Amino acid sequence: QVHLVESGGGSVQAGGSLRLSCAVSGRTFSNYRMGWFRQAPGREREFVARISWSVGTTYYADSVKGRFTISGDRAKNTVYLQMNSLKPEDTAVYYCAATDIAGATTRNAYRYWGQGTQVTVSS
């Protein structure tokens, strides 16, 4: 079992920044890949970014590439999502998720989920 707890959401004006954190616990989670997803009202949950704990490789959705950075601190068992140059269309509930499937970008591929944290970007 892998347990995930997100934090760091809030309200910010367009152009601002936020850093989300995801505290990770559980057995053998070091073998997992960690991802961030987001879901806006009335929309499907969409992939944002992922990172491999073991090798540190990252991958981003086109919509956030160049603005968001995913990173992991294994000593703190925490995954981060640094979000810069935020836009109103980034407004959503952001979820941390874990999978043992390499290269996963779909919701169904992720087995474990956090409770989500709200990010609101005003224009």
Side-chain angles (χ1 to χ4, degrees), residues 29-48:
F29 70 84
S30 60
N31 298 324
Y32 281 72
R33 287 78 173 176
M34 303 302 301
W36 285 97
F37 285 72
R38 65 186 181 186
Q39 188 166 16
R43 303 192 66 176
E44 295 291 320
R45 193 170 298 187
E46 65 175 1
F47 169 81
V48 174

Side-chain angles (χ1 to χ4, degrees), residues 76-99:
K76 295 182 178 179
N77 296 339
T78 302
V79 177
Y80 302 99
L81 185 68
Q82 177 67 44
M83 306 185 295
N84 298 328
S85 302
L86 282 161
K87 305 175 181 179
E89 51 263 44
D90 294 319
T91 296
V93 177
Y94 282 71
Y95 297 90
C96 178
T99 180

